[in-house]
Amino acid sequence: MIILKPESIPSSEITPREVYEQRKQLRRQFLKASAGLVAAGIGGPLIAAPGREKLGNIQKSKYDPGEKLTAYEHVTGYNNFYEFGTDKGDPARNAHSLKTQPWSVAIEGEVAKPATYQLEDLIRPHKLQERIYRLRCVEAWSMVIPWVGIPLADIIKRVRPTSRAKYVQFVTLHDPKQMPGQRPSLLGSGLGWPYLEGLRMDEAMNPLTLLAVGVYGERLPNQNGAPIRLVVPWKYGFKSIKSIVKIRFVEKQPATTWKASAPREYGFYSNVNPNVDHPRWSQARERRIGEDGLFTAKRETLMFNGYADEVAHMYAGMDLKKFY
Ligand SMILES: Nc1nc2c(c(=O)[nH]1)N[C@H]1C(S)=C(S)[C@@H](COP(=O)(O)O)O[C@H]1N2
Ligand SMILES: [Mo]
C-alpha cells in the first residue's frame, strides 16, 4: 500500500491569479470528492470509496502550465482505453472489472537485477509529486491534468539498466477476462494485445517523463490506467500507456501498438508536432475538452505540446517529418 495521509493542496503565498483560480478549482474538486464519500456513507478522512482514495504526502512540483484544469468529470469520464471499449465513455463504464490489487510490475531485459516488484515496493522508496501537464491526444483534443506520480528516471536509476539498454518497452495487462475490449469481437478496436509502448532511453530518463499512480490527489481511477501508467506530456496521448505490468529494457527500438496497427499514421516517436499532419487530418489545432461551445475557438497546438524547452534537444538534427 502507498501510505495514505489526507492532505489538502496548499496554495503558495503569492500566485498569479489564473493559478490561484485553478488551485481554488482543485480544492473544490477535493471537497466534492469528500462530499461524495460522506454521501456514500463511508466518511472519514482516511478511507475512500473503491476507486476514490486520497493519496497522502504529495509534494508539489514546478510543473504547472498555469492553465485551467480540465474538470474531474472529463478527466475520468472521457477516456481512451481500448481494452474497455472504443467509445470515450466506455472505460468509465466498463473498467470496474479491472482488479488492481494486488498488482505487480516485472522489470526485465537489460538491467542489473531483473525482478518482479509488488507495486508498493516499486513506489514506496519515492516521494509522490503532483505534476500538472497538458495531454494532447492524436485525435486533436487536449486536457490539462493534475497527475500524481514519480519520475520514471528515479525508478530506472534504481533498477540500473546495462549499457546495452537503448530503449524501454512498456506492456499493459493482457487479460480478456478483465478487459472486454481484448476479447475477439466484430466491434472491437482491431488493435493487437497486449498494448505496447516504448521510449528511447533519453526520453525515458527525461525529467518530464512520469509514472503516474494518481490524479486530482487521488489514486488513479481504473479508466485512467490504474494502478500505474506512463505520462509523456510532449508526445501524443497514446504513448502514455495505462495499467503497466512490464517494463523491459532492450537494445533495439521495440514494437509499439499504434505503429504496428497503422505504421503510415503512427510512428515510434509521436511527438506532438503542429507541422506534421496526420495523413487523415491536421494536427495544427486542438479542442480543449470542457471548453467547447459553438463559438469557442480551437487552440493552436504547440510544438512538443509546449514542452520544447525541456525536450527539443533530444531531437536535434532529426527530421521530424520522417521520424514522426
Ligand atoms: N493500455 C492502453 N493505454 C492507453 C490507451 C489504450 O487504449 N490502452 N489509450 C491511449 C490514448 S490514445 C490516450 S489519449 C491516453 C488517454 O489517457 P486518459 O484517459 O487518462 O486521459 O491513454 C493512452 N494509453
Ligand atoms: Mo489519444
Side-chain angles (χ1 to χ4, degrees), residues 97-150:
S97 57
L98 176 66
K99 194 170 168 272
T100 58
Q101 258 172 338
W103 190 273
S104 55
V105 180
I107 309 280
E108 291 184 354
E110 295 292 343
V111 272
K113 266 199 228 149
T116 297
Y117 293 81
Q118 286 306 305
L119 180 66
E120 307 83 79
D121 300 332
L122 196 64
I123 301 303
R124 201 189 293 113
H126 305 277
K127 193 137 176 61
L128 294 180
Q129 298 179 16
E130 181 188 73
R131 293 195 172 193
I132 302 172
Y133 282 161
R134 296 190 198 87
L135 181 134
R136 170 56 160 81
C137 181
V138 75
E139 297 165 318
W141 49 264
S142 63
M143 299 194 189
V144 179
I145 304 179
W147 301 109
V148 179
I150 51 186

Side-chain angles (χ1 to χ4, degrees), residues 9 16 42 45 58 76 95 112 136 155 157 163 165 172 174 180 188 192 202 214 217 244 251 299:
I9 293 182
I42 295 156
I58 303 167
T76 61
R136 170 56 160 81
I155 300 236
K157 283 176 203 149
S163 60
T172 294
H174 186 196
D202 59 336
I244 297 168
E251 264 192 280
R299 290 167 177 261

Side-chain angles (χ1 to χ4, degrees), residues 75 78-83 135-139 141 143 145 147 172 191 193 195 223-225 229 236-243 258:
V75 172
Y78 187 94
N79 304 98
N80 273 334
F81 197 172
Y82 279 14
E83 286 85 339
L135 181 134
R136 170 56 160 81
C137 181
V138 75
E139 297 165 318
W141 49 264
M143 299 194 189
I145 304 179
W147 301 109
T172 294
L191 290 185
W193 310 111
Y195 193 100
Q223 60 268 32
N224 292 95
R229 58 90 57 84
Y236 291 118
F238 67 85
K239 299 295 284 182
S240 294
I241 182 174
K242 294 174 167 178
S243 305
W258 281 98

Side-chain angles (χ1 to χ4, degrees), residues 29 32-34 37 47-54 72 218-219:
Q29 295 287 358
K32 243 167 124 184
S34 357
L37 297 179
I47 310 155
R52 301 284 316 244
E53 200 172 5
K54 266 193 183 180
Y72 180 88
E218 300 175 2
R219 218 176 264 279

